[in-house]
Amino acid sequence: MAIDIQDKYNIPKTLAQRITAEQAFFYRIVPKEEQEGKVTFWTDHQQIGGLLSELQVVLGFPVALEPISSEVLQDHLTANYRQTRSESSVEFHYTPDFLEKIILDAKAIGSSDIHFEPYETHCRIRFRLDGKLLEQYTIPIEEYPAIINKIKIRAGLDIAEKRLPQDGRITLKMAQGNEFDIRVSTLPTLFGEKIVLRILNKDSKSITLEDLGFNAQELERYKEGVKNPNGIILISGPTGSGKTTTLYATLRLLNDSKTNILTIEDPIEYTLEGVNQVQLKENIGLDFSSALRTFLRQDPDIIMVGEIRDVKTANMAIRAALTGHLVLSTIHTNSAWATISRLIDMGIPPFLIASTLNISVAQRLVRKLCGTCKAKVVLTPDVLPKNTNLAHGLTHHYVPSGCQSCHHTGYRGRKALYEIIPITKELVPHIKENSLDVDDYLKANNIQTLRDNALSLVKEGITSIEEVYPLLTQ
């Protein structure tokens, strides 16, 4: 198992929280240890005496200082504190605006989810950044109920109900006029309710297919598939692989004044002007299949279904495609061809799949290596999956190192990988027979699988073998 690069510089969160990120960078200090209420800080400040006097007044607790080199101090600063463009400071005890500060802090660094997790003596707060959870803060457990109640009130949930899970939504308006939605989910656990906040970006203007990660050939194939006035476009992949973002980018491409587009989503992650978006409400009977049934009476041209979860929804999607509509949806499978097997397992007749499915897409999100600190190393056989010939033509690869630019994670940003299979006449017999052996067809038509694209990114030095290892074993 790989060692987290960031662990080399990490300090305990309870110690790091003795000062804010702004104070750490402004005074050039990092907590080293705390004994009997006195906190010792590392610093590269030249005039320690003057700094010590100021810190005693500003921080309000006993302070000691130890000199350290600027380079090592900077490594500790960037590993433990994140500078953001947000003007709000971060508090570590409950205040009336505590929740807003946490959310804005997460939003400023590009986090997608915030996890509030209670334990016996404390609560930890983690942010999901580039697909990985990072612990940001801890707070005393006695202050946690006030935070839960505020979140529940803002989300319109029942604060008295602590035994059952609840789901809600918060709309947060910022001073600059921007606003974004937050999906709230509560879950009863041993020491209290765990809460997850999903930050939903309402602005879809920046989403385009060209920016998602398609190569030129894949983009051409995909656009060709969505040009058809009827049929089904299916995008598969695990949760958090970017499927919904690809769907929204597709709708932006298809959206014009002559087209009636209807969507049923859970949740509505982006607001698209000119698109009629419906929020799923299963508690009152508004599920994917019932919404689809109603959509067919609304004279639609294009229908987007958030997810095909069951046979009823799949049958309604097939029916909509057969009656002359273009249907876009997602499904949970491991590959583009496995989507077809999944539909057959649901009970959809193979001949209907062959006549309605335009294109099947599988996608994943992988972290990109930090361009500043990635290191080129000689390839050794032990880093690749056994019983594969993936090393052909590959003598070196890149590994994460960690630096100030990437906060010592070794990675910066993510990139989508795609596997796109257009449904052609040659594939119809395979679909009707539910045949899994289509490798020869894919090679003959130069269709790149997820594994092919993952290996290409490794060869180009865009990502590491460790990051795409699960795809290389497929």
Side-chain angles (χ1 to χ4, degrees), residues 41 85 88 93 110 127 188 205 262 442:
F41 292 92
R85 288 172 289 185
S88 58
H93 290 276
F127 291 173
K205 295 178 182 176
L262 299 170
L442 298 182

Side-chain angles (χ1 to χ4, degrees), residues 204 226 247-263 271-277 301-302 326 328:
S204 64
V226 300
L247 283 183
Y248 278 116
T250 307
L251 290 179
R252 279 201 71 228
L253 176 71
L254 300 172
N255 187 19
D256 60 45
S257 59
K258 307 182 205 64
T259 306
N260 179 22
I261 302 178
L262 299 170
T263 75
T271 301
L272 293 165
E273 187 174 351
V275 175
N276 304 283
Q277 297 173 267
D301 297 297
I302 300 169
L326 181 63
L328 295 88

Side-chain angles (χ1 to χ4, degrees), residues 203-214 219 222-223 242 244-254 270 272 416 418:
D203 181 18
S204 64
K205 295 178 182 176
S206 60
I207 305 174
T208 63
L209 289 173
E210 287 74 14
D211 298 332
L212 295 184
F214 292 103
L219 184 61
Y222 185 72
K223 285 186 173 180
T244 305
T245 301
T246 301
L247 283 183
Y248 278 116
T250 307
L251 290 179
R252 279 201 71 228
L253 176 71
L254 300 172
Y270 300 87
L272 293 165
Y418 290 94

